Amino acid sequence: MTVSKNAKAHESAHLHVAGEATFVDDIAPAQGTLHAALYLSEHAHARIVSIDVADVLASPGVHAVITADDIKGENHCGPILHDDPILADDLVQYVGQPVFAVIADSQLLARKAVKSARVEIEPLDAVFDVQQADEQHSWVLPPMHLQQGDTGSVLASTEQTLSGAFSVGGQEHFYLEGQIAHVAPKEDGCLHLWCSTQHPTEMQHLVAQCLQRDASQILVEMRRMGGGFGGKESQSALICCVAAIAADKLQRPVRLRLDRDDDMQLTGKRHGFDYQYQVAFNAAGKLQALQLKMLINSGYSADLSGPVATRAICHVDNAYQIEAVDVRAHCCKTNTQSNTAFRGFGGPQGAFATEYILDNIARETAQDALDVRKLNFYPQQGGQTPYGQPVEDNVIHQLVEQLEQSSDYRARREQIDQFNAGSSIIKKGLALTPVKFGISFNVVHYNQAGALVHVYTDGSVLVNHGGTEMGQGLHTKVAQVVSQELGIDLKRVRATATDTSKVANTSATAASTGSDLNGKAAQDAARQIKTRLIDFLSSKFAVSPASIRFEQNRVRADGFEWSFEEVIHLAYQARVQLWSDGFYKTPDLHWDKDKLRGSPFYYFAYGAVVSEVAVDTLTGEFKLLAADLLHDAGNSINPAIDKGQVEGAFIQGMGWLTSEQLCWDDSGRLSTHAPSTYKIPAVSDCPARFKVELFENQNVKDTILRSKAVGEPPLLLGFSVFFAIRDAIASVAGHTINPPLNAPATPESILKALEACRG
Ligand code: MTE
Ligand code: LUZ
Ligand code: MOS
């Protein structure tokens, strides 16, 4: 492997390996700090008749019980609608919904005391099934519909049609660090919050709302998360609000840290989708019309289901030009956790539908699925998405061509056919799947960011921006941008904790836009400082501004050379402002959210992967043997970090579609609420051959250093593992039958699909 000069180590790597990186729970509690625990509903849908907490209050170490009555403002912490109570009032809507909080001397005492509550309820009918919810028109939001072209007439007049149904499950975020907040009351009604969140500004506003304070009284600080994956975009709010209400009421610092099981019972997950489709295609396998209905399991409230559904609709096309499209998305209300953002944000679920359908069409037309996919790609130029955005940066043809060669796809296809012919129990499968993923928040005004850059008089630099660090390397990339702009070593630039009192009105670190937005804002700030330095030097030394260069910790102009530190010292003496703010907003975005039309994305990121699996047809188990990934991160700011993102996202996507299964029992209780029953991929699930390469590319758009966002898109590369498994299954019937395989492809569902193929 060639190591690029920009392949810098993660800014905290040395702290992570030494166990010295501080997370919220590592903040040393000040004297008098109390700990909270939540009572979670035992019922999926019920009226609360009475809550008896006498025994709770009498338990050792207990200071208070916090209920909905303690909330001064509105009892809600939803990101968009006001349908997420902080604490249940008279109604519970899922097993795991917080009803009250106990505040005690220690977390253990608080958790013990919770158990002695007596909550009397009156059960109500609960709905767990999206089909049932849909039939009852029980939705958390109005249905959405995107129509482009006339699918009805194409379906009526075409050579071949196909219809069917399939589904994909949800996914638990399984961040290593669970949800946590620590709140300290300050003078004059102010509060300081440390909270594991992707969205400090929203935490600030929701806490201000529930306490009826000004946002200016609430300071939220976030140094790093032990993973977020979307699960801390909105759903850190409940944790923050409960801790803040308790801290404010008792005027003591309060920490609320969820136990893993409680975290899994309480918080929402990736939305599971049920699909019904009808398609028209020609003899060559070209998709001509797609009618698709997606039933989305939103859980009990809206949370981010609206923008998730929108992104799902805007990714049904994936990398394919489809003439006529009719897509419906219904956000079904069920009595489960409220599902939320999860890496890809509905995009994976949207694109999965069309990949599944093309996989079917390949067998219907007796072709290699790769040929059908290639036939359907957006044209090199002149493509247009069903929602009206031109596809101007299409590189999928070159990218897939390169991968097809480097992975030796055709030869391996032949080898696998031969292997399968001679192997009755173990069957191999192969699949190449592409990805096209739209970058920008699909809510236009979220696409803005701010930063502050301070150059101290010793020439060291501090950068603060609105993005949060969750392991993805955002602070490293932003520091690299500043170091490049000022021409100084990366070790001279430090990124600090995200802090709502430094940069205001930030967006969530989400939609993969962290470095696009905050990198540009930080560059803007650094550039302003540099411009002031150039003005200062050119007037003081009478050199032409154009000749002044900042590189390798030196500043050079015709006939002059200084160290960066000397320049800073001189500028300070001359009273030049050595710090600056910076701002960025993504240009060229427009979106009509009612018509579902416009150009919601600044550009697209592309990728493709070849996966090879072996399936044991007796046990239904599979092993990923090889994966060759080629991903477009544009002109990568940090190839080491980007490759790590591609690897991690691919494995996380594979987990979603294979081993990670969420099960609820008949009473609506999540039975897979711990690592004992919920299986995320382990290191041993990584393939023996694991090739991850970045595609040589420059963003055609003027993004930060011409890079492309990389956080979410490669999650969709996990598709290839699922379709390789499906390919292996289909081999038992000579690839003539479409295996009825739903995701996740657990051993059980693989066996069922095998049975169906054997007839
Ligand atoms: N990588 C790590 N290590 N941990 C995370 O929680 N979250 C993902 C992705 N990569 C995540 C991650 C998600 S859901 C998003 S939206 C992006 O990182 C957010 O960061 P970025 O915009 O800076 O890429
Ligand atoms: N849109 C989007 C969003 O595309 N990604 C997100 O993470 C998001 N979050 C909130 C609202 N819209
Ligand atoms: Mo990522 S799902 O946009 O936090």
Side-chain angles (χ1 to χ4, degrees), residues 198 229-230 233 341-345 509-512 712:
Q198 295 171 240
F229 304 111
E233 180 172 340
F342 194 138
R343 206 169 193 171
F345 204 77
T509 306
S512 305
E712 295 169 291

